[in-house]
Amino acid sequence: MGDAPAIEAVGLSKRYGSFSAISDVGLEVGKGEFMGLLGPNGSGKSTTLKAITGLIVPDSGRVWINGIDIQDHRRAMERVGCVIETPEPYPNFTPAETLDYVGRLYGMDSYEIAIRARDVLESVRMWDWRDKRIGSFSKGMRQRIVIAQALMPNPETLILDEPTSGLDARGMIEVRLLLSELRQRGRSLLVSTHILKEVSEICGSVTMIRKGRVVRSGKVSELVKGLSDTSVVLEVETMRPLTRELVYDIDALEGVSGTKMLSPTRVRMIFDGTTEQQCRLTDMVYGSGLGVRHINEQGPDLEALYMDVTMAEDIL
């Protein structure tokens, strides 16, 4: 078990009636590795995490955590901290009371709870609020308490489902800084998100899921290398709203392999065509009469890869 991956999932599938939530999903998170489970909303990320943590029983497939079959649930999850679908802490509890409750669930004695609670609350920067009622906290503060609960058993492995969902910019930054600190301590992490910035900042590997199926998995650097040398992300912003017809015409151009609307006046696309084809695209945009504010170009990166495998159908 010492050399076993932190998390290994093979062939996970789950149906609800005629709807297939996930199909043949597999991934592997090595010891000390931070992996992002990346995909659009509704792609099957939460279902995958629930199957991995034993919150649901998949129709098929197997999961091992630190080499222990998840069917031996208590032993497999003993050194794992989880936040699945952002549970809300009890509003009438204080952070200290919340962690005392969590510690007792893990079988800790009072002395161990006191030591761990202080360490955890200081790590999430909530020690000064330890005796305040959680119901008076901001969304970001409550989220930090939820993560503190996951850290209470001093886990070797963390599994987090959209940990920055609903947070403002400052709250997102605070959570990312906390996760970066945990990476330096040698923890393993599987984090689901649809935010590319989170993965690019804290994760060295990624599993991309679309419509319940894995479409890419591996080290970010290696996956990006697999893109064509000519692959770029182009972002176009116009003064007046883009028409449906123009976006469809852009998507139909040779060299354009994925289109994503960011706002009524902004469209992003992955382009891997020739210089001549890019000129045709530019001429079409400028000839639309919508007033072009800018056309930005970025080289091959995680965003280009993500668009290439998950967003090809996302037009208006």
Side-chain angles (χ1 to χ4, degrees), residues 3-310:
D3 296 329
I7 300 170
E8 183 179 7
V10 178
L12 295 177
S13 298
K14 182 66 177 178
R15 297 185 68 87
Y16 295 97
S18 61
F19 173 68
S20 177
I22 54 174
S23 180
D24 197 29
V25 169
L27 57 85
E28 183 176 310
V29 182
K31 291 287 178 65
E33 181 178 14
F34 271 35
M35 173 177 280
L37 181 60
L38 187 60
N41 289 329
S43 59
K45 300 189 299 296
S46 291
T47 302
T48 299
L49 295 190
K50 288 178 181 178
I52 287 173
T53 54
L55 291 176
I56 61 171
V57 178
D59 299 325
S60 61
R62 295 188 68 185
V63 175
W64 297 266
I65 297 180
N66 297 314
I68 303 171
D69 196 312
I70 193 62
Q71 292 185 27
D72 188 355
H73 193 261
R74 184 181 181 88
R75 205 159 66 93
M77 296 296 291
E78 191 173 18
R79 303 294 288 175
V80 178
C82 295
V83 176
I84 306 295
E85 291 195 334
T86 316
E88 283 287 335
Y90 294 116
N92 292 326
F93 276 22
T94 66
E97 290 169 340
T98 298
L99 295 189
D100 179 78
Y101 172 67
V102 172
R104 293 183 188 281
L105 289 177
Y106 278 98
M108 299 179 187
D109 60 35
S110 297
Y111 178 76
E112 187 180 6
I113 288 172
I115 297 297
R116 280 298 302 154
R118 176 157 193 155
D119 182 49
V120 165
L121 289 174
E122 286 181 343
S123 71
V124 299
R125 299 173 180 84
M126 290 297 294
W127 176 249
D128 291 343
W129 287 271
R130 62 190 179 278
D131 295 321
K132 306 293 184 183
R133 298 294 169 194
I134 292 172
S136 66
F137 290 176
S138 68
K139 171 72 173 176
M141 294 168 73
R142 293 198 304 273
Q143 189 76 337
R144 279 185 270 169
I145 296 302
V146 168
I147 294 174
Q149 293 176 236
L151 295 175
M152 191 62 184
N154 196 19
E156 298 173 0
T157 303
L158 277 168
I159 299 174
L160 305 179
D161 188 10
E162 303 275 3
T164 61
S165 177
L167 298 185
D168 59 18
R170 180 174 178 175
M172 289 183 179
I173 292 170
E174 288 176 347
V175 170
R176 289 173 194 155
L177 287 173
L178 172 60
L179 295 179
S180 295
E181 290 172 9
L182 293 171
R183 181 176 55 194
Q184 293 170 9
R185 298 181 198 174
R187 302 295 193 266
S188 307
L189 172 72
L190 176 61
V191 56
S192 79
T193 182
H194 62 279
I195 302 173
L196 286 162
K197 188 175 180 63
E198 287 184 1
V199 175
S200 61
E201 286 188 359
I202 65 174
C203 296
S205 60
V206 64
T207 292
M208 294 186 177
I209 187 169
R210 174 171 174 255
K211 295 183 177 179
R213 292 181 177 274
V214 172
V215 289
R216 291 286 193 284
S217 189
K219 301 289 185 185
V220 172
S221 57
E222 294 173 3
L223 292 173
V224 170
K225 282 181 184 176
L227 289 173
S228 166
D229 290 338
T230 60
S231 294
V232 294
V233 173
L234 296 175
E235 184 177 313
V236 174
E237 183 175 4
T238 56
M239 294 183 66
R240 290 177 290 282
L242 292 150
T243 64
R244 181 182 295 271
E245 291 75 17
L246 176 61
V247 177
Y248 272 111
D249 287 344
I250 289 173
D251 191 71
L253 280 175
E254 205 171 348
V256 176
S257 57
T259 308
K260 171 75 174 179
M261 289 297 298
L262 303 178
S263 75
T265 60
R266 291 170 60 215
V267 62
R268 186 176 291 164
M269 68 204 79
I270 183 167
F271 181 84
D272 55 9
T274 64
T275 301
E276 183 179 335
Q277 289 166 345
Q278 190 168 345
C279 286
R280 283 197 211 116
L281 170 62
T282 304
D283 289 344
M284 177 181 290
V285 172
Y286 278 103
S288 67
L290 298 176
V292 178
R293 287 184 180 274
H294 67 247
I295 300 179
N296 287 341
E297 178 179 320
Q298 296 176 333
D301 61 4
L302 183 61
E303 185 166 18
L305 177 66
Y306 183 64
M307 289 187 66
D308 189 38
V309 300
T310 66

